[in-house]
C-alpha cells in the first residue's frame, strides 16, 4: 500500500470506504446513458449521498460523457477521489477486430497484441480506464454462446493469447494514456458450463481444473493484469463469487494476485439463487470473505451502509483491504494526478488514426480466415471469372460479432460491396435470409447461375446468435440455408461456401455440398475486404481452427487433446475387435475438422524432421529441426505445430498436447529450415496430490501442419 493510499484511508469514513467497493452504470448519473449487459435488480436505487461515494462506473464512454460524469462526481465528493470508468471492450472499441475466437485462429500472438493495443488506444481516448477483457476461459463445447469470446479449446494456445492480450491492453507498466487496465475473466472455469448452457453449473475435479483450465488465468496474472473478474458458476460445489478457497487460497495466495477482484454483473446477489446465502446481507458477507473488492450491479455492498455501527472488526478489516486495492488501482492509473487521464476528444475523432487502426484490423482479419476445403484448387478466383454471389451474409454489415460495443453495422461494408470492385462480372441475389425456408426470386437465380462460372454462397449466423446468453442445443446452420445449398448444387457449378459464425458449427452437410469452404469467425470492421482478398488470392489463407468442429451433435463435447481409454478404438481395430471399444454404433468418433486444421494456396509440406537429442535432462530443451518445402509457384505461410504425448505417467495424459507453434513464410519453389525448441519444463503435469512436476520416462514429440498429420519422434527424460 502506497503512502497516498494510506493517507486517504485514514481520512475516509467507513461509509466512504464502502462506497469505493460499489459499481453502478452511468445512467445513475443524471442525463447519462449506459450499456446494460445484465438483469437490473429492484435493489438498484441510489440516494445522492451514496451516489457521490461510489468508486466506479461501467458501460459509459465517450470523452464528453465521461468528463461530464467525472466533473459532476468530483464537485459533490468530499475527498475528491475520482471515479474509475470500465466497460466490455472485447475485440475493439470503434474499430472492430475479429472476435477473440477468430484472433486465436490466426495462430499468431502478435495479432492478439495488435488488436488489444488498438482497442486500448481508442478506449482510453474515450475516457475508459478498465476493460473487462481478456476472457481466458477454456471452452470445449460450441453450444456455449460465449465461446466466441474465448481463444478455444487448447490450454497452451489460451495461455499464449491471454498473455499477449494483457500486454496489448496495458502496455508497459505503469499504464500510460494510450492503454487501459485489463480484467482477466471469468475466474474460474466458466467455459465448462454443463451442457453448454449459459450461467449453468460447472462440476469438475480440482485435478482437471489445474491440469487444463488454470494455466491461462495464471499466464494473464503473470503478465500483471490489474483486475480479475469472478465467474457466475459454481466451482468445487461453491459459487465462485463466494468461494473463499478459490479466490483467496488459489487466486490470492497461490497465483499471488494482489490486484482488484470484481464480481460479474449481479453475481453477489445470485448467491441467493445458488442456495448458499439466505439474503443479500448473507451474500455480502460471503463475497467479502472471499475477497471480492467491487460489487458490480447487485447493490449487495450497499447493505453494509445500513448498519455501519454494527459491523464487526473482521468486516471492517475486509472493507479496508478491498478499499485499499481499489484506491491503489486508481493511484497506479494516475487518476489522482489527472482524473481525466487519457481522455482525448481530438484523438477520439482523428481520421488518420482511424485509417491506421482499420489497416491493423484488416491484417488481423485476413490472418483469421480459415480455408478448410479447396477441391481442384477452385480458390483463388480470377478477376475475369463470372461470379454469382448469394446467401444471407452476402449483403450485410453484420460482420462484427457480439460485444462490438461502438462498432457500427450500418457503416460496415458488405461482402457484395467489396466483391463488386474485385470481379469484372458479378451478379447477386440474396436467395434466402438467415432463418426463412422460402427461397426468393428462384427464376432469377436460375438464370444468374446458368450465366456464372462459380457460385459463392455466404452462409452463417447473425451476430445476435452468439455471445452471452445465446446457448444453442444444436450448433448448426438453419435448415433453410442447407436446403438452399442443396438446390444450388443441382446446377453442377463449382460452389464456394463462406461461413460467418461465432462458434464451431456442425457443417457436415455443407462440406458434402461444396467444393471449397472458408470459415470466418465474425471478422470485424474490415471483414468483407479480408474475405475478398482471400477469395481473389491477393492474400493467402493462413488461419487455423482453434477449436474442433464436430461431425454430429452427439459428439459434443469433442476436442483434440482427449485422454485415451482402456479400450481405445485403434487398439481394438488392430486386434479385430470392433464391438467392445470406445465408439458410437451410429457414426464415427472423428470430427469433421480438427483443431489446427487449415489450408493455404501454396503447396507447403514438411520434407524433413530430425530430433537433435533423444535423451534429455530436466534442465534442457527439446529441439527438432524441421525443413518446410514450398513446391508451388507462389509464396505462402503455414503454421508449424509441435505436440507432446507422455506415454506413461502417474496420471493420465492427452493423446497429444500443443506445446509450440509458429506462423512461417516459405518463398515460392524454396524451403526453410526451422528449429523448434521446447523447454523440458513444459512437460510438467498435475499429479494425484495436485502438485505439478515432470515425470521421468518416455515421451513422443510430434510435428506437423495440423494436429492429425504428424511426424513422431521418441524422447526420454532422465
Amino acid at each position: 500500500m502506497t503512502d497516498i493510499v494510506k493517507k486517504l484511508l485514514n481520512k475516509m469514513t467507513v461509509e466512504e470506504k464502502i462506497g469505493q467497493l460499489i459499481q453502478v452504470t452511468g445512467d445513475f448519473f443524471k442525463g447519462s446513458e449506459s450499456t446494460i449487459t445484465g438483469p437490473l435488480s429492484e435493489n438498484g436505487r441510489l440516494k445522492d449521498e451514496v451516489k457521490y461515494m461510489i468508486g466506479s462506473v461501467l458501460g459509459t464512454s465517450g470523452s464528453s460523457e465521461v468528463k461530464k460524469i467525472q466533473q459532476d462526481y468530483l464537485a459533490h465528493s468530499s475527498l475528491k477521489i475520482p471515479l474509475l470508468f470500465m466497460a466490455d471492450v472485447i475485440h475493439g472499441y470503434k474499430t472492430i477486430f475479429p472476435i477473440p475466437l477468430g484472433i486465436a485462429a490466426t495462430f499468431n500472438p502478435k495479432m492478439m497484441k495488435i488488436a488489444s493495443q488498438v482497442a486500448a488506444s481508442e478506449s482510453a481516448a474515450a475516457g475508459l480506464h478498465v476493460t473487462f477483457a481478456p476472457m481466458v476461459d477454456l471452452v470445449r463445447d460450441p453450444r456455449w454462446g460465449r465461446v466466441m469470446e474465448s481463444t478455444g479449446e487448447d490450454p497452451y494456445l489460451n495461455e499464449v493469447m491471454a498473455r499477449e492480450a494483457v500486454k496489448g491492453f496495458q502496455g508497459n507498466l505503469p499504464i500510460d494514456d494510450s492503454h487501459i487496465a485489463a480484467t482477466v475473466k471469468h475466474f474460474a472455469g466458466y467455459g465448462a458450463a454443463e451442457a453448454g448452457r449459459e450461467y449453468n453449473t460447472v462440476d469438475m475435479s480440482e485435478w482437471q481444473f489445474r491440469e487444463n483450465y488454470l494455466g491461462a488465468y495464471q499466464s494473464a496474472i503473470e503478465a500483471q493484469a490489474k483486475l480479475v473478474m469472478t465467474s457466475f458458476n459454481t466451482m468445487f460445489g461453491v459459487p465462485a463469487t463466494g468461494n473463499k478457497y478459490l479466490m483467496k487460497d488459489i487466486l490470492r495466495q497461490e497465483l499471488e494476485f494482489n490486484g482488484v477482484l470484481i464480481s460479474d454483473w449481479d453475481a453477489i446477489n445470485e448467491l441467493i439463487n445458488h442456495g448458499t446465502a439466505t439474503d443479500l446481507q448473507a451474500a455480502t458477507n460471503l463475497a467479502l470473505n472471499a475477497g471480492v473488492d467491487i460489487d458490480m450491479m447487485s447493490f449487495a455492498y450497499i447493505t453494509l451502509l445500513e448498519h455501519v455501527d454494527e459491523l464487526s472488526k473482521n468486516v471492517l478489516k475486509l472493507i479496508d483491504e478491498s478499499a485499499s486495492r481499489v484506491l491503489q488501482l486508481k493511484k497506479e492509473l494516475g487518476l489522482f494526478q489527472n482524473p481525466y487521464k487519457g481522455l482525448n476528444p481530438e484523438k477520439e475523432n482523428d481520421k488518420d488514426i482511424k485509417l491506421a487502426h482499420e489497416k491493423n484490423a484488416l491484417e488481423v482479419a485476413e490472418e483469421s480466415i480459415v480455408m478448410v476445403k479447396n477441391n481442384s484448387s477452385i480458390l483463388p478466383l480470377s478477376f475475369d471469372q463470372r461470379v454469382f454471389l448469394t446467401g444471407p451474409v452476402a449483403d450485410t454489415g453484420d460482420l462484427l460479432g457480439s460485444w462490438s460495443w461502438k462498432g457500427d453495422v450500418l457503416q460496415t461494408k458488405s461482402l457484395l460491396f467489396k466483391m463488386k470492385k474485385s470481379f469484372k462480372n458479378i451478379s447477386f441475389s440474396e436467395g434466402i435470409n438467415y432463418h426463412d425456408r422460402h427461397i426468393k426470386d428462384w427464376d432469377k437465380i436460375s438464370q444468374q447461375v446458368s450465366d456464372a462460372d462459380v457460385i459463392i454462397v455466404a452462409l452463417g449466423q447473425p451476430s445476435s446468435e452468439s455471445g452471452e446468453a445465446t446457448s444453442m442445443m444444436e450448433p448448426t446452420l438453419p435448415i433453410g440455408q442447407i436446403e438452399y445449398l442443396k438446390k444450388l448444387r443441382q446446377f453442377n457449378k463449382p460452389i464456394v461456401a463462406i461461413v460467418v459464425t461465432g462458434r464451431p458449427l456442425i457443417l457436415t452437410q455443407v462440406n458434402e455440398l461444396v467444393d471449397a469452404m472458408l470459415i470466418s469467425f465474425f471478422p470485424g470492421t474490415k471483414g468483407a475486404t479480408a474475405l475478398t482478398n482471400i477469395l481473389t488470392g491477393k492474400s493467402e489463407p493462413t488461419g487455423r481452427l482453434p477449436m474442433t468442429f464436430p461431425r454430429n451433435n452427439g459428439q459434443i463435447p469433442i476436442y483434440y487433446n482427449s485422454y485415451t481409454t482402456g479400450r481405445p478404438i485403434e487398439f481394438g481395430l488392430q486386434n479385430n475387435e470392433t464391438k467392445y471399444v470406445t465408439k458410437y454404433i451410429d457414426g464415427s468418433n472423428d470430427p469433421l475438422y480438427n483443431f489446427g486444421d487449415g489450408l493455404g494456396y501454396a503447396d507447403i509440406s514438411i520434407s524433413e524432421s530430425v530430433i537433435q537429442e533423444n535423451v534429455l535432462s530436466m534442465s534442457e530443451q527439446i529441439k527438432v529441426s524441421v525443413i518446410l518445402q514450398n513446391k508451388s509457384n507462389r509464396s505462402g505461410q503455414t503454421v508449424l505445430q509441435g505436440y507432446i504425448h507422455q506415454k506413461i505417467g502417474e496420471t493420465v495424459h492427452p493423446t497429444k498436447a500443443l506445446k509450440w507453434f509458429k506462423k512461417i513464410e516459405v518463398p515460392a519453389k524454396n524451403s526453410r529450415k526451422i528449429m523448434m525448441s521446447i523447454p523440458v519444463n513444459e512437460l510438467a503435469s498435475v499429479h494425484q496430490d495436485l502438485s505439478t512436476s515432470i515425470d521421468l520416462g518416455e515421451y513422443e514429440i510430434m510435428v506437423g501442419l495440423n494436429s492429425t498429420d504428424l511426424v513422431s519422434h521418441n524422447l526420454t527424460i532422465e
Side-chain angles (χ1 to χ4, degrees), residues 135-424:
M135 190 186 95
V136 303
D137 300 320
L138 183 79
V139 188
R140 291 169 164 174
D141 194 330
R143 294 173 296 182
W144 193 50
R146 292 189 82 162
V147 65
M148 57 75 55
E149 207 177 335
S150 79
T151 49
E153 70 185 36
D154 180 73
Y156 179 70
L157 182 61
N158 281 7
E159 290 170 18
V160 172
M161 291 297 182
R163 181 167 57 247
E164 294 307 308
V166 172
K167 289 179 180 179
F169 282 125
Q170 296 190 163
N172 297 322
L173 300 182
I175 296 171
D176 63 24
D177 287 0
S178 295
H179 292 83
I180 56 179
T183 305
V184 184
K185 64 184 189 184
H186 306 83
F187 200 74
Y190 192 31
E194 284 188 353
R197 197 170 75 239
E198 189 74 274
Y199 317 117
N200 203 9
T201 297
V202 169
D203 185 10
M204 71 171 71
S205 69
E206 189 168 347
W207 175 83
Q208 174 70 253
F209 171 63
R210 290 178 175 276
E211 180 76 354
N212 289 304
Y213 291 79
L214 186 59
Y217 303 109
Q218 182 173 355
S219 179
I221 289 166
E222 288 175 351
Q224 302 185 64
K226 294 297 180 182
L227 299 93
V228 168
M229 182 183 289
T230 69
S231 54
F232 288 120
N233 55 276
T234 57
M235 182 61 73
F236 315 137
V238 180
T241 306
N243 194 322
K244 189 175 180 180
Y245 173 65
L246 186 65
M247 298 303 170
K248 286 202 167 177
D249 292 3
I250 297 180
L251 179 64
R252 294 287 190 196
Q253 295 180 25
E254 187 178 327
L255 300 187
E256 299 180 346
F257 175 69
N258 57 12
V260 171
L261 180 61
I262 183 171
S263 79
D264 207 333
W265 184 294
D266 199 34
I268 298 177
N269 180 56
E270 290 172 12
L271 296 177
I272 301 170
N273 292 337
H274 277 292
T276 57
T278 54
D279 54 27
L280 199 55
Q281 185 175 337
T284 296
N285 289 334
L286 286 172
L288 265 179
N289 276 284
V292 177
D293 299 317
I294 296 179
D295 167 17
M296 184 198 295
M297 287 298 290
S298 70
F299 304 95
Y301 285 1
I302 287 178
T303 63
L304 296 168
L305 297 172
E306 298 168 4
H307 45 87
V308 169
D309 296 336
E310 303 168 18
L311 297 178
S312 68
K313 288 183 179 179
N314 180 60
V315 170
L316 290 171
K317 179 175 177 290
L318 293 171
I319 291 169
D320 274 5
E321 290 174 357
S322 287
S324 68
R325 284 191 286 261
V326 174
L327 293 172
Q328 181 65 27
L329 176 61
K330 292 182 178 183
K331 190 264 179 189
E332 290 175 359
L333 289 171
L335 294 181
F336 292 124
Q337 288 77 26
N338 179 13
Y340 309 101
K341 175 183 182 274
L343 195 150
N344 190 328
E346 290 78 21
K347 182 180 176 182
E348 190 179 11
N349 299 297
D350 190 294
K351 292 182 179 179
D352 290 335
I353 292 175
K354 177 176 180 285
L355 289 173
H357 289 173
E358 288 183 350
K359 184 178 179 181
N360 292 140
L362 176 60
E363 180 184 13
V364 179
E366 287 181 344
E367 289 207 26
S368 74
I369 295 165
V370 186
M371 184 167 70
V372 292
K373 187 174 184 179
N374 192 23
N375 286 357
S376 303
S377 297
I378 288 172
L379 295 176
L381 303 175
S382 68
F383 173 74
D384 292 326
Q385 282 182 281
R386 295 171 300 168
V387 174
F388 171 55
L389 176 65
T390 188
V393 191
D395 189 23
T396 177
D398 190 11
L399 301 173
L400 304 183
S402 181
W403 295 115
S404 301
W405 192 19
K406 297 294 181 180
D408 190 343
V409 170
L410 296 178
Q411 295 298 314
T412 302
K413 295 294 188 288
S414 71
L415 190 59
L416 175 62
F417 180 87
K418 289 297 179 181
M419 286 182 62
K420 279 181 175 178
K421 298 183 177 183
S422 297
F423 291 97
K424 182 179 180 181

Side-chain angles (χ1 to χ4, degrees), residues 566-612:
R567 295 185 179 184
I569 189 170
E570 296 83 5
F571 180 81
L573 293 174
Q574 291 167 14
N575 293 275
N576 297 317
E577 173 58 64
T578 59
K579 182 175 178 61
Y580 297 105
V581 291
T582 178
K583 66 178 179 64
Y584 299 101
I585 63 171
D586 58 347
S588 170
N589 288 3
D590 297 331
L592 181 63
Y593 308 126
N594 287 281
F595 173 89
D597 276 358
L599 304 171
Y601 294 144
D603 181 12
I604 300 172
S605 60
I606 295 175
S607 63
E608 181 178 287
S609 175
V610 178
I611 189 167
Q612 301 297 289

Side-chain angles (χ1 to χ4, degrees), residues 75-91:
H76 291 82
S77 170
S78 60
L79 291 176
K80 311 302 180 188
I81 300 172
L83 288 165
L84 277 168
F85 287 84
M86 309 187 187
D88 291 282
V89 182
I90 307 302
H91 55 110

